[in-house]
Amino acid sequence: NAGVTQTPKFRILKIGQSMTLQCTQDMNHNYMYWYRQDPGMGLKLIYYSVGAGITDKGEVPNGYNVSRSTTEDFPLRLELAAPSQTSVYFCASRNSRGLYGYTFGSGTRLTVV
Amino acid sequence: AQRVTQPEKLLSVFKGAPVELKCNYSYSGSPELFWYVQYSRQRLQLLLRHISRESIKGFTADLNKGETSFHLKKPFAQEEDSAMYYCALAPQGAQKLVFGQGTRLTINP
């Protein structure tokens, strides 16, 4: 049981490049989330999904896109990378029963130069 | 709007000393509150939640509705407690947690 798996762990992008951060969970969780973690700023919600085919914006969605074609996968897409998107990105999932049951991935450290 | 405030970005105490990480929230209903911890180079994990009234790794947290606080306490800090700590709020009926800014706790030997 792998839990929540994020790839890649590290990535350096040039301004204007695009990339997809992958997130996969094997717990059959309906809810999935993308957060970014900036120093001193805590965790900010980018997008979330309550089930396959359903996504919604969080606090800081600009510059990102998501899709949820399956229960397991919730990729985060950066179309035109900007230095402001330099951050650590965390994916999380939970089942329907309780909000406390967040399971986090190990994170992706992204640097845009 | 719901908000969680952790007033201390950094907190440093000596091993064996008491530690208190502050958390204040803004929410008009009955909240569910949690503490998450992130050890160095590890993923975030749930430390404790107020409804369970449990003590995990010697930490406790009491919900004070009058002061809208949920401070995390430990009577005798240990070096392995050094980590980033996040307070989080679950509004009623909401589908997502609201996190505070985090406090980096350092325990000095």
Side-chain angles (χ1 to χ4, degrees):
Chain A
N1 191 338
V4 178
T5 302
Q6 288 184 240
T7 56
K9 293 191 184 300
F10 305 95
R11 183 73 186 268
I12 298 175
L13 278 183
K14 293 184 178 179
I15 294 172
Q17 286 185 319
S18 62
M19 76 164 293
T20 299
L21 282 68
Q22 302 292 345
C23 176
T24 299
Q25 52 91 9
D26 61 359
M27 298 169 286
N28 202 33
H29 285 174
N30 287 329
Y31 295 78
M32 296 188 75
Y33 306 84
W34 274 106
Y35 287 88
R36 57 178 288 171
Q37 181 186 40
D38 301 316
M41 301 298 289
L43 292 164
K44 299 291 186 184
L45 182 65
I46 305 171
Y47 271 96
Y48 68 103
S49 169
V50 301
I54 306 170
T55 63
D56 208 347
K57 296 178 180 179
E59 300 172 78
V60 289
N62 291 342
Y64 307 95
N65 279 299
V66 293
S67 60
R68 185 92 184 273
S69 57
T70 66
T71 299
E72 295 78 19
D73 300 306
F74 190 42
L76 179 70
R77 178 83 178 164
L78 284 71
E79 291 292 352
L80 291 169
S84 61
Q85 293 177 305
T86 294
S87 188
V88 181
Y89 292 84
F90 287 100
C91 180
S93 73
R94 69 170 180 94
N95 60 25
S96 305
R97 287 181 293 177
L99 277 170
Y100 66 89
Y102 272 45
T103 301
F104 281 87
S106 57
T108 295
R109 185 175 295 275
L110 175 67
T111 303
V112 181
V113 296
Chain B
Q2 306 92 22
R3 178 172 293 186
V4 176
T5 302
Q6 294 177 248
E8 303 141 329
K9 289 186 179 181
L10 302 170
L11 183 61
S12 182
V13 301
F14 285 102
K15 177 182 174 181
V19 61
E20 181 180 51
L21 289 82
K22 292 183 168 52
C23 172
N24 292 91
Y25 65 90
S26 173
Y27 179 59
S28 57
S30 293
E32 287 188 58
L33 286 151
F34 312 89
W35 278 98
Y36 278 78
V37 61
Q38 184 181 24
Y39 300 104
S40 180
R41 301 187 183 280
Q42 294 186 28
R43 64 191 70 196
L44 280 88
Q45 55 188 288
L46 178 68
L47 180 61
L48 55 80
R49 49 194 175 113
H50 89 272
I51 59 173
S52 60
R53 294 184 170 272
E54 57 202 344
S55 174
I56 304 294
K57 299 184 178 183
F59 284 98
T60 59
D62 291 319
L63 176 60
N64 186 323
K65 291 186 178 181
E67 296 183 357
T68 60
S69 68
F70 187 56
H71 303 327
L72 183 68
K73 300 177 183 179
K74 185 170 182 176
F76 306 104
Q78 298 174 310
E79 289 186 63
E80 54 263 34
D81 296 329
S82 294
M84 191 75 172
Y85 291 81
Y86 289 96
C87 183
L89 164 73
Q92 283 179 313
Q95 297 166 330
K96 51 194 183 295
L97 289 173
V98 177
F99 285 88
Q101 302 94 317
T103 297
R104 182 169 297 282
L105 175 65
T106 301
I107 308 300
N108 300 305

